[in-house]
Amino acid sequence: MNVAVLAGGLGGSRFARALTETLAPSDVTVVGNVGDDLEVAGLHVSPDLDTILYTLAGVLDEKKGWGRAGETWNARDAATELGEETWFQVGDRDLGLHLARTEALRRGEPLSAVTARLARVFGVETALLPATDDRLRTWIATPAGEFSFQEWFVRRQHRDEVDGVRFEGAEQAAAAPGVLAALEAADLIAIAPSNPFVSIGPILAVAEIRGALEQRRVPAVAVSPLIGGRTVRGPADRMLARLAGGTGPAHVTRCYQGLIDALVIDEADADEEAGIRTIVTRTLMSDADARRRLAEAVLGVPV
Ligand code: GDP
Ligand code: CA
């Protein structure tokens, strides 16, 4: 069974892992968000792709939910001593990856090709694709002004309420090589329990990808990132309340109108109307058993 999954960072990588542990790793294609990408000291960083890569390679710092396990911070500390602002944290090994990727991009290699090569080096058999090779950047409108995604999320610690989200470059962006083919070849399309606005939103802002979901011939199922109306981590609940009018399953469904056939929700949210067919299970991916339970619930959607 082939599954194509749209994924952000934390919830995206955990869910990608759940699928690859339950199916064969090569039966899963992950389409990752690049709206969070940024330049750090001239280096191209793709935080969500890297979280997925590190997770599937088994080298993620699971406690933090980003970066590599056993990381050291010499480069950052040295830069800080020299008076550099280092609000976006990059560990030494992580830095090595950014150096390699940036150099490859500078040589003209597309992000999708670099990502595939990095995945191979890390021994990852799952296809990991950026949504697009084109420049796509998320901007966040807040009462304090508009910020680039990472400036809002990391530097300002997503304390500002969000009035709107804008995806710079999305209109011209084409799906990266392999993305449409993977959606076409999939027996099931899944949307990870990622932030609908800033993790899945930028992927769906690529018209070809949204179109592929709208015209799907196979079931598409999303997993809600909410448990009891609250996020496991991050601002998705606050954003849903402000931008979608509430934090129930129906508000998640509304984010994916016309794009999904079912929503997987947690038992804690089972009493609420979802406005779509629901599959109820425990959705917290706390360990291998929990990941398998969730993956099986998703894969059980008839194909
Ligand atoms: P980011 O790019 O790192 O912000 O990550 P994502 O957008 O992919 O994931 C953030 C979302 O993942 C949050 O809204 C969390 O509620 C959700 N999330 C994280 N872990 C879990 C989990 O185990 N189960 C569920 N249902 N959601 C989760
Ligand atoms: Ca992210």
Side-chain angles (χ1 to χ4, degrees):
M1 181 173 180
N2 282 306
V3 177
V5 56
L6 311 188
L10 180 71
S13 62
R14 286 180 176 166
F15 183 63
R17 181 179 181 189
L19 290 175
T20 59
E21 286 172 345
T22 305
L23 295 166
S26 56
D27 286 348
V28 181
T29 300
V30 184
V31 178
N33 169 38
V34 295
D36 297 12
D37 287 18
L38 75 160
E39 280 74 41
V40 178
L43 300 178
H44 183 105
V45 182
S46 294
D48 284 2
L49 293 179
D50 293 347
T51 297
I52 298 166
L53 176 64
Y54 291 155
T55 298
L56 296 182
V59 302
L60 184 86
D61 183 331
E62 287 187 34
K63 203 151 159 246
K64 286 210 310 276
W66 56 270
R68 290 184 63 162
E71 187 61 284
T72 56
W73 301 90
N74 297 309
R76 178 203 63 187
D77 292 347
T80 308
E81 277 166 25
L82 294 169
E84 268 310 298
E85 247 192 305
T86 51
W87 54 267
F88 193 89
Q89 306 285 313
V90 175
D92 296 330
R93 286 162 172 268
D94 199 26
L95 179 63
L97 183 144
H98 305 324
L99 287 169
R101 172 171 41 214
T102 304
E103 192 49 37
L105 290 172
R106 207 167 278 155
R107 283 195 305 263
E109 203 175 337
L111 181 62
S112 56
V114 187
T115 306
R117 205 156 47 75
L118 294 172
R120 229 171 7 252
V121 174
F122 275 90
V124 170
E125 291 171 50
T126 298
L128 173 57
L129 309 172
T132 180
D133 277 336
D134 299 323
R135 186 187 160 84
L136 190 161
R137 292 288 183 279
T138 299
W139 290 85
I140 307 292
T142 80
E146 193 182 44
F147 300 102
S148 69
F149 178 81
Q150 298 295 355
E151 208 167 341
W152 167 73
F153 193 82
V154 176
R155 191 178 201 173
R156 297 175 67 86
Q157 301 181 322
H158 49 77
R159 64 171 178 265
D160 312 276
E161 295 296 340
V162 177
D163 293 322
V165 178
R166 177 168 74 86
F167 306 114
E168 180 193 350
E171 272 167 39
Q172 301 85 37
V179 170
L180 299 179
L183 291 170
E184 186 72 23
D187 301 303
L188 179 79
I189 297 170
I191 297 179
S194 294
N195 187 312
F197 301 103
V198 292
S199 292
I200 304 300
I203 303 175
L204 295 174
V206 177
E208 289 177 321
I209 299 181
R210 174 175 285 273
L213 259 75
E214 283 168 348
Q215 283 152 38
R216 69 193 176 280
R217 289 186 302 251
V218 296
V221 52
V223 181
S224 172
L226 301 173
I227 298 179
R230 309 201 40 187
T231 50
V232 177
R233 201 191 284 181
D237 48 3
R238 279 168 56 213
M239 294 178 78
L240 274 157
R242 193 167 163 103
L243 298 173
T247 60
H251 303 101
V252 177
T253 301
R254 212 166 298 153
C255 294
Y256 301 131
Q257 210 69 62
L259 305 177
I260 58 170
D261 304 293
L263 182 70
V264 177
I265 59 170
D266 193 83
E267 289 170 357
D269 302 298
D271 292 343
E272 291 197 57
E273 185 47 49
I276 199 163
R277 185 179 146 212
T278 56
I279 297 137
V280 180
T281 185
R282 270 178 288 157
T283 67
L284 183 66
M285 293 173 278
S286 46
D287 58 27
D289 285 345
R291 286 193 296 272
R292 177 170 284 270
R293 184 184 331 117
L294 178 58
E296 282 174 353
V298 170
L299 298 172
V301 175
V303 297

